[in-house]
Amino acid sequence: MSTRSRRSGPRVGLLLTGILLVCGACGGGGAPPDYTAEELEAAKARLRDHARLRTFEAGKLFGDEWVARAPHDAELRGLYAYQLVGWGLSREVHEQADAILADDPDNPWGLYTKAYALLVDGEAKPAHEMALKAWEASPQPEFAFLYPRALVRDDFEAARAFLVSLDEETRTWPEVLRMQAELESAARYELDDPTWADSSRATWAEFKERFPNHVLGYTRLANEAYNARRMDEWTLLMEAALELAPGSLEVRSQHWRGLWMSELLPREERLPAVEASMAAYREAIPETVEGLQGMASMYREMDGEARAAELEAQIVESDPGSYHASLVYVGETRRVGRELFEIYEERGEDSPEYRAQLEVVRDAAYRFLERPLYSDVFKGGVYLDLFRALEAMDPVPAEELAEAIRGMAEFERLNPHITYGDAPLAMIDHTPYALEAADLVREGVPIMLERVTESRDFFDTEGEFDQALRSSVSGIYDVIGWAHFKAGHTEDGRHTLERALAIADRNRDARYHLGQVYERLAVEAEEEGDAEAVTEWLDQAEDSYIAGFGAGRGENPNQTALEALYERRNGGREGIEEYLATLDERDRIRRRDRILESRVEAAGTYEPFQLARLDGDMVDSADLEGKIAVLHFWGTWCGPCVVEMPEYQKLDERYRDDPEVQVLSISNDRTNDVIGEYLAKNDFDCTVLVDDNYVDRAGVNAWPTTWFVDREGYVQFVQIGTALKLDEEFSWRVEAIREDTSSP
């Protein structure tokens, strides 16, 4: 198959235009076009220029005009659709594809445009299948980029193989070299090999040299320089990008964030510098809602709420049913949701302020759902916010909650563990629709299992993946079993819950639910006067709660149920502390044994580093020789990391004066300011090193991750994810290494 472009040249365009003019004159088929073949080809070239410069704002305006003038030119529509992709306008991209395919169902530009529409919608598989058809019908540079871009989401190796299969001439296209650089960047994660970052950087450097008029060569390398804190290099690259594309929101946004978030400028100079760049941007292009949205978003990041609100009001007034207006609407709901979380953090869920904010969140969600929305894409998240607010109310409004959960089931797909887990449980506990909740879970089983399967690459071993799969399936049985029990079908509930625990016996929720079932069976036995059966059922309830005791972070319903059961069986709380202490020690011994058994079988050394502390002093991993080291990778952006930081601070304090142990954390945050402000706000003074892309070189791709290193530099234990009781469990590992090695 040839990979040469089959785009028609100017001579063919002239011939086609001549035919159209003749037909228009002879057949009465409408007015002749108001452009020449040369002008049409120039318009296509200009749309390609907008793609090259990432000036989608101006590109869309230009394309609007030309598609109206030449509506039957498929290539023009396809190039215009790419400008719409830059705006995130899924519906309009579909419209362009449908218009092309209505004239010719096999038109390669129509297939290409439809593939992009599907990709914007997150439908990767049909997107790459359609893009391949377009490529096979007419190998175009744009198709050579889109096909592997869509394919990589399903099959990384197949996308790489496609690029390798292209002939030499095709591989000289900028679209192909760009895709190569992006695949190399992805390879560091897909292949768990950080050296691919160097390959990607080299390819982008080659791209910049070979295609100096393509803005991506500059912006991609600028991003690499920014991440490595090479701000002089970043400045030069961004200046070149801005000279090429002063009217590109994509380029400007990168510039604004670099000026604002880096330490390139003193803090008092950052806002004026960003606003000067914004002014230059507005001078470069006509005003668009896309540009207004980008500037409003930046003002939000800079805490310029009033200015952001002004820009957003312009968007809504301009077109209340547009995509960008919908972004404004959803932004309102998210902000009140963040305020709710902040109130929760500062004042707690029992405070009047928190209770009042729940009403604000509910009202904001209903207000959003009544708006003239561009599409349904944001409804799922809003229904999720509404569900969370309603569930936290006292009393819970049952009918409203049920409707919110039904809305989640229809629109929310990003969080299946909530949509088909937490939400149905809430429906079971707070509404009369327990069996409907079970049906919702059954309908969501394929989605939940697909999500687990998609996460396969995050697990190092088949055993870990199997454990995750079992946990998901166990959760499904747990919810269905609990629904049957709450609907009055006690035996069905018991058997289903027992099945849940047969699949994953550490499912604490299933333990709690099954304990409740056993207690109900004890009540029924008591009503029948069967004292022996009462004792047996209560013993089983106690065993179930004990098995779930201490099985997870946060409030554990098994402990509450266990205390209530103790009071029921003993006529009061006398002796309960001793009883619970015995159980806690039992759990502690079990956790310690499990952790010590997790020692790395074939311990290896780690990538050496020289990293700066927040005060600028350098720390060299060579200085850790002869010491036991705890290396903790985290970031303020990582929710689980932040949750366990108070306990990490305790661990740091535990070993701060121990000459044999060094505890170091490596933050993956963008700026020192972010780290410093977080530590100061929480009164943390643990030693923090600033990542300079070391995580890529070392192959760390999950947060939090912690290495426990012996005196000779070998990693003996690895903890990925949060610990149940960090200070205690991390110290067990440290002391185990200390016991195995003598002091130098």
Side-chain angles (χ1 to χ4, degrees), residues 592 596 628 711 732 734-742:
R592 186 176 186 277
L596 297 184
I628 299 167
R711 301 178 197 275
W732 289 338
V734 170
E735 297 309 319
I737 295 174
R738 195 198 304 262
E739 291 174 9
D740 290 345
T741 57
S742 58

Side-chain angles (χ1 to χ4, degrees), residues 187-206:
R188 71 180 102 174
Y189 308 110
E190 295 287 345
L191 304 179
D192 195 20
D193 183 353
T195 61
W196 279 102
D198 298 328
S199 300
S200 177
R201 192 177 303 112
T203 303
W204 279 119
E206 179 186 351

Side-chain angles (χ1 to χ4, degrees), residues 260-481:
W260 178 255
M261 298 178 67
S262 75
E263 297 172 349
L264 183 66
L265 298 172
R267 183 173 291 275
E268 65 274 10
E269 295 180 15
R270 296 177 190 178
L271 178 59
V274 172
E275 291 188 321
S277 182
M278 285 183 176
Y281 168 67
R282 301 188 83 162
E283 289 177 5
I285 65 159
E287 186 168 273
T288 65
V289 291
E290 173 77 352
L292 293 172
Q293 184 73 56
M295 289 186 289
S297 176
M298 190 64 222
Y299 271 112
R300 293 279 180 203
E301 289 193 35
M302 300 186 299
D303 295 326
E305 300 297 324
R307 186 68 183 116
E310 291 175 9
L311 295 169
E312 290 170 348
Q314 286 183 250
I315 295 170
V316 173
E317 183 178 358
S318 171
D319 189 351
S322 69
Y323 170 72
H324 294 85
S326 289
L327 290 178
V328 174
Y329 306 148
V330 78
E332 293 174 0
T333 67
R334 288 171 179 168
R335 282 192 294 278
V336 298
R338 285 195 296 270
E339 290 171 12
L340 178 69
F341 179 76
E342 290 169 3
I343 294 171
Y344 170 79
E345 289 282 291
E346 293 176 5
R347 301 178 181 274
E349 62 184 344
D350 294 326
S351 66
E353 294 84 358
Y354 181 80
R355 294 291 154 191
Q357 188 67 18
L358 290 174
E359 302 283 350
V360 174
V361 172
R362 176 175 67 178
D363 293 345
Y366 286 139
R367 190 162 55 249
F368 173 87
L369 294 170
E370 293 168 358
R371 301 274 198 177
L373 300 175
Y374 173 81
S375 70
D376 294 334
V377 69
F378 299 118
K379 282 187 177 180
V382 173
Y383 272 117
L384 174 58
D385 292 343
L386 178 60
F387 157 68
R388 287 300 196 200
L390 295 171
E391 183 190 26
M393 290 181 177
D394 186 15
V396 174
E399 292 299 328
E400 287 186 68
L401 182 72
E403 283 300 315
I405 293 169
R406 292 173 187 129
M408 288 176 64
E410 183 175 357
F411 298 108
E412 167 53 42
R413 292 292 181 272
L414 295 178
N415 301 280
H417 63 291
I418 300 176
T419 302
Y420 304 110
D422 295 351
L425 279 174
M427 182 180 270
I428 294 166
D429 288 335
H430 300 295
T431 81
Y433 307 115
L435 294 181
E436 180 184 346
D439 289 338
L440 289 179
V441 175
R442 292 188 184 95
E443 292 170 6
V445 167
I447 297 171
M448 288 188 283
L449 296 183
E450 180 183 9
R451 183 59 58 87
V452 176
T453 302
E454 288 173 351
S455 68
R456 172 65 186 85
D457 292 342
F458 290 101
F459 300 96
D460 293 329
T461 67
E462 287 294 331
E464 290 172 336
F465 175 66
D466 178 69
Q467 184 179 18
L469 190 59
R470 285 174 173 271
S471 177
S472 182
V473 174
S474 176
I476 292 167
Y477 278 111
D478 173 42
V479 178
I480 294 174

Side-chain angles (χ1 to χ4, degrees), residues 8-15 17 21 32-49 62-63 65-67 69-70 73 75-76 79:
S8 299
R11 291 185 180 179
V12 176
L14 279 168
L15 177 60
T17 301
L21 287 169
D34 64 347
Y35 54 84
T36 66
E38 289 86 350
E39 288 173 331
L40 179 60
E41 290 303 311
K44 295 176 187 177
R46 189 167 171 185
L47 285 172
R48 285 189 166 93
D49 285 341
F62 179 78
E65 173 193 347
W66 265 94
V67 167
R69 294 174 68 183
D73 192 289
E75 183 179 6
L76 179 74
L79 296 173

